[in-house]
Amino acid sequence: MKRNILSCVLLAVMILSSCKKYLDEKPNKKLSIPSTVEDCQALLDLHTYINSFVNNAVGEVSSDNYYLTSQTWAGLTQQSYRDMYTWGEEIFYDNGPSQNEWSSMYTIVYRANVVLEVMDKVQKTELNNAAWDNVYGSALFLRAEAFSVLARNFAKAYTDNSQDLGIPLRMTSDFNTPSVRATVQESYDQIIRDAKASVPYLPQSSAHVMRPSKAAAYGLLARVYLSMRVYDKAALYADSSLQIANTLIDYNGASTTATFPFDRFNPEVVYFAQGGPTPLTNTRARIDSVLFLSYAANDLRKSLFFKSNGDGSYNFKGNYTASVSQFVGIATDEMYLTKAEAVCRNGDFQEGLKILNQLMVKRWKQGTFIPFSASNQSQALAIILSERRKELLMRDLRWIDIKRLNLENANISLKRILDNGVYTLPPNDNRFALPLPAKIVAISHMPQNPR
């Protein structure tokens, strides 16, 4: 199967090169774009290659799970990274990385749009039925997933009927169509439409976790609804995902001395995606000391997630990528935590803790875990949220969690301390919507996020 995926990626590279020729208005345009189900599958598989080698997880760079020393911060080679860390007015410079999260996500959107347009012209037959469905559903999923990444990082958190600035919803591959920023409400409406529309076409479980599936689509819907604070639907879709994929790793079987304790495609991974911006590598990013101390002595995550620097600080090594790159896909542990929180918020805090304990017993030294308990909803929710942060750190989820929780009056503020000063980010500050690339604003005349 891995060989087949690699073949698709290589084919996709050739197709992408042809697409560039098409965009450069070369002759014989009919030979320059995908025209078959196989072509479209290859083009979609390329998203994994792009996601693996670009600067993304800008939300995680902006969040509070880690810190940089003044020396490390000053030594970052790109001004982009230094400004991401301090919530600057510009985070994508012309002399920065050749691809950034904005460009890479819209590359995925463009590719998905190309595929959807081609597939509308490809006849579905008995012979290609399954492959046709998989390609069509995958394109919808990938567009929804890319839009969701953009919305959670470059727009304010969702509120009911929010007219705040959202993201450009590119729904066509035609570059001549002007980009216009939708509202936050319109942005999330489109994400939900695409994700829901993908479900009937996708298989229960994909041939490989690098490709979408029903379990992944349900997981994406659960993640998005949680970010919207629509808790009944977050619980519903987390449960739907877990009905298909609910395996948890028993951390008692993982090596605490391994450089990277978890396999790249381990049993918890429902949909694999990764990113690895420079500030988050485990030679630079140091885990927040208060966060590290919150892990109990018998909590195996304390030894599996972190590596001591010998000076009282710790780096993160617990990526579900078996590398320094961050896992930013969808996994079953996230679904347990999403369902636990949503069920608790919906009123059944005892059931929420029961769901949480199903996860936690797999994270503590065998025979030492005492199930969490609480006497009221507020206590239960505090426990669940604490474990959510400890379980899902460095997965590009903390930024949107801070934004949504501050709308629930969590009053989370952020602070950076460097030799050149102290930087603060108060709750609900405009800077929680990261700045669009200045070049894009100049070309499109779209409004920039206020600072």
Side-chain angles (χ1 to χ4, degrees), residues 140 143-144 147 167 169-171 182 184-196:
L140 289 167
R143 188 169 69 183
F147 280 157
I167 60 172
L169 296 172
R170 301 288 307 182
M171 304 298 291
V184 167
Q185 180 71 54
E186 292 166 341
S187 300
Y188 278 89
D189 285 347
Q190 185 60 51
I191 293 166
I192 295 297
R193 276 196 298 271
D194 278 348
K196 286 184 176 179

Side-chain angles (χ1 to χ4, degrees), residues 91-105:
I91 60 174
F92 299 133
Y93 292 88
D94 291 346
N95 64 346
S98 58
Q99 286 185 301
N100 54 55
E101 184 160 286
W102 183 273
S103 67
S104 63
M105 290 300 107

Side-chain angles (χ1 to χ4, degrees), residues 9-183:
V9 168
L10 293 174
L11 177 58
V13 171
M14 292 186 287
I15 292 173
L16 192 65
S17 176
S18 297
C19 286
K20 183 180 184 302
K21 293 179 183 178
Y22 174 67
L23 295 174
D24 288 341
E25 297 188 3
K26 299 294 184 182
N28 299 320
K29 292 179 182 176
K30 291 182 180 179
L31 302 177
S32 304
I33 57 175
S35 59
T36 68
V37 173
E38 292 76 16
D39 289 346
C40 289
Q41 182 64 70
L43 193 58
L44 292 179
D45 282 333
L46 187 59
H47 94 278
T48 300
Y49 174 85
I50 288 181
N51 264 356
S52 298
F53 296 98
V54 299
N55 165 44
N56 60 14
V58 294
E60 192 66 49
V61 177
S62 305
S63 73
D64 61 350
N65 283 327
Y66 77 106
Y67 68 94
L68 301 177
T69 65
S70 296
Q71 183 179 7
T72 298
W73 178 81
L76 294 173
T77 57
Q78 301 291 349
Q79 183 66 34
S80 298
Y81 298 135
R82 292 192 290 274
D83 281 353
M84 281 183 206
Y85 185 70
T86 57
W87 316 296
E89 293 187 6
E90 175 60 33
I91 60 174
F92 299 133
Y93 292 88
D94 291 346
N95 64 346
S98 58
Q99 286 185 301
N100 54 55
E101 184 160 286
W102 183 273
S103 67
S104 63
M105 290 300 107
Y106 277 109
T107 297
I108 293 171
V109 170
Y110 168 74
R111 190 176 306 117
N113 286 334
V114 168
V115 167
L116 290 171
E117 291 163 5
V118 171
M119 294 302 292
D120 281 339
K121 301 174 184 176
V122 175
Q123 183 178 1
K124 186 193 291 192
T125 67
E126 290 186 9
L127 293 176
N128 73 6
N129 181 67
W132 194 103
D133 281 355
N134 185 67
V135 167
Y136 196 80
S138 295
L140 289 167
F141 172 90
L142 291 173
R143 188 169 69 183
E145 200 267 342
F147 280 157
S148 73
V149 172
L150 291 159
R152 73 183 186 227
N153 291 329
F154 297 98
K156 291 184 176 182
Y158 176 91
T159 56
D160 290 342
N161 197 30
S162 173
Q163 299 303 301
D164 288 326
L165 290 170
I167 60 172
L169 296 172
R170 301 288 307 182
M171 304 298 291
T172 173
S173 65
D174 184 359
F175 281 108
N176 295 315
T177 302
S179 289
V180 179
R181 294 190 70 172
T183 65

